[in-house]
Amino acid sequence: MAQGITPIVMPKWGLSMQEGTVMSWLVEEGTEITVGMPILEVETDKIANAVEAADPGVLRRKVAQVGELLPVKALLGVMADASVSDADVDAYIAAYETPSADAGEDADAAPAYLWTEVDGLRVRYARRGAASGTPVLFIHGYGGDLDNWLFNIDALAEAAPVIALDLPGHGQSAVQLPGTSLGALADFVARFLDQLDVEQVHVVGHSMGGAIASQLALAHPLRVASLALIAPAGLGEDINAGYTEGFAKAASRRELKPVLEQLFNDPALVSRQMVDDVLKYKRLDGVEPLLLSLGQALFGDGRQAERPGLELASTGKPVLVVWGAEDRVVPAAHITNAPPGATVERFEGAGHMVQMERASDVNRLLRRHVGG
């Protein structure tokens, strides 16, 4: 990096992102940028979101134009303090070369997705980060997949080994369930860890994945170093059956889009591609009856049948609970049922997918949590 010059580059969100489209600039040239400030909006084939500043500085030049499709690591803008001349900024921009997608020997060169077989079921998963240390295991929610963590996996992989999986019946894993109880799903996760020869993990669970994480800690306490529960099921009784049933039954773009919008405080984050990707999954043979069966067993009539999060105090595990105040799927009021001694954070202006809408804040909490 040139002295005093900080590049703003196209981020890599998720394991498969190759490029993004600049949708809008949120700040003007000359603006004093602080860490975490949203600078511009980018849309990928998964989601639209703001690029936040990783470093402070003054925005000296907007390089990327609105509507421009650019590869990961392409130069979007330049920050520099007043001591840097315009000529130096121009020279930096002229000399900048976007690294090739396969450059380097780092984690980016690893396959985006891996596969294994557990109890005869094919499971898609991903591994990132360091080779040593206690891994962080990400467990997604009902109807989701490991790409629900696209803003979180690489951020945590900077600090620890990371594993994320598609649960059975979800994402690209086999369209079959090991059972419709949290116990059956938690036991399956334990056997998945056996298959990977992983003894213990920091578990991060979202929504239904939070309830599975809690059950894993109760049923297999030696496997769990700590728990981070993101807008989790399992800490209260009520849940939005309109969402769970609507998601399972939606068979068209027109039906699905308003259901997915319930996940976010900002419905604009639901891109056309996101709807298309979920529809593609839902049209797989056997997915709809599987989701209806699982949803009825766990969340029938808007009532959570199992609430393992209420028993976590007995485990003595470190617990982090994070919620979006505008959650329309699992009530944020359930945060008051977090176990005594838990670290609790509630974010205004975020919904059920708080790990996407407030990614930087959630990642900061997760890094601190797994770091002890």
Side-chain angles (χ1 to χ4, degrees), residues 132-158:
S132 61
T134 302
V136 179
L137 174 69
F138 287 97
I139 307 177
H140 64 75
Y142 176 78
D145 62 23
L146 60 80
D147 285 327
N148 290 167
W149 305 106
L150 62 88
F151 296 140
N152 316 109
I153 288 175
D154 285 337
L156 266 292
E158 295 172 2

Side-chain angles (χ1 to χ4, degrees), residues 66-134:
V66 172
E68 200 170 358
L69 179 66
L70 295 166
V72 167
K73 298 181 182 176
L75 187 64
L76 303 179
V78 172
M79 294 191 300
D81 59 39
S83 66
V84 178
S85 70
D86 287 341
D88 285 344
V89 171
D90 292 338
Y92 179 88
I93 293 169
Y96 186 89
E97 294 184 9
T98 302
S100 63
D102 57 356
E105 297 295 323
D106 57 10
D108 290 346
Y113 303 111
L114 301 166
W115 302 86
T116 191
E117 193 167 291
V118 182
D119 298 344
L121 303 183
R122 192 166 187 251
V123 177
R124 182 179 74 149
Y125 70 102
R127 296 191 86 156
R128 282 290 183 272
S132 61
T134 302

Side-chain angles (χ1 to χ4, degrees), residues 114-325:
L114 301 166
W115 302 86
T116 191
E117 193 167 291
V118 182
D119 298 344
L121 303 183
R122 192 166 187 251
V123 177
R124 182 179 74 149
Y125 70 102
R127 296 191 86 156
R128 282 290 183 272
S132 61
T134 302
V136 179
L137 174 69
F138 287 97
I139 307 177
H140 64 75
Y142 176 78
D145 62 23
L146 60 80
D147 285 327
N148 290 167
W149 305 106
L150 62 88
F151 296 140
N152 316 109
I153 288 175
D154 285 337
L156 266 292
E158 295 172 2
V162 167
I163 303 167
L165 82 158
D166 287 344
L167 291 167
H170 292 73
Q172 295 181 30
S173 289
V175 184
Q176 185 179 338
L177 292 171
T180 56
S181 67
L182 293 179
L185 291 164
D187 289 347
F188 183 91
V189 171
R191 292 192 292 276
F192 166 76
L193 293 175
D194 289 339
Q195 187 69 24
L196 270 56
D197 198 25
V198 172
E199 292 185 7
Q200 191 178 58
V201 288
H202 298 284
V203 190
V204 182
H206 173 247
S207 196
M208 179 187 76
I212 295 170
S214 296
Q215 182 61 36
L216 185 69
L218 294 172
H220 304 274
L222 296 180
R223 310 303 296 265
V224 177
S226 72
L227 291 134
L229 309 177
I230 315 292
L235 275 177
E237 184 170 9
D238 45 328
I239 191 168
N240 181 357
Y243 173 78
T244 55
E245 293 175 13
F247 182 88
K249 294 177 180 178
S252 68
R253 158 177 286 280
R254 180 180 59 82
E255 293 171 340
L256 184 59
K257 189 170 188 287
V259 174
L260 294 179
E261 287 175 345
Q262 294 182 64
L263 291 170
F264 298 92
N265 180 55
D266 178 7
L269 292 175
V270 179
S271 66
R272 182 178 186 87
Q273 188 64 46
M274 181 189 295
V275 179
D276 289 345
D277 286 348
V278 175
L279 270 180
K280 182 179 178 182
Y281 154 68
K282 292 201 70 266
R283 287 170 176 164
L284 294 173
D285 188 35
V287 163
E288 182 174 328
L290 179 150
L291 288 173
L292 287 169
S293 172
L294 182 62
Q296 182 60 36
L298 295 180
F299 312 124
D301 302 318
R303 178 181 176 274
Q304 297 188 46
E306 303 178 61
R307 297 182 285 281
L310 300 178
E311 303 173 45
L312 286 178
S314 66
T315 69
K317 306 288 184 187
V319 178
L320 168 68
V321 182
V322 180
W323 233 297

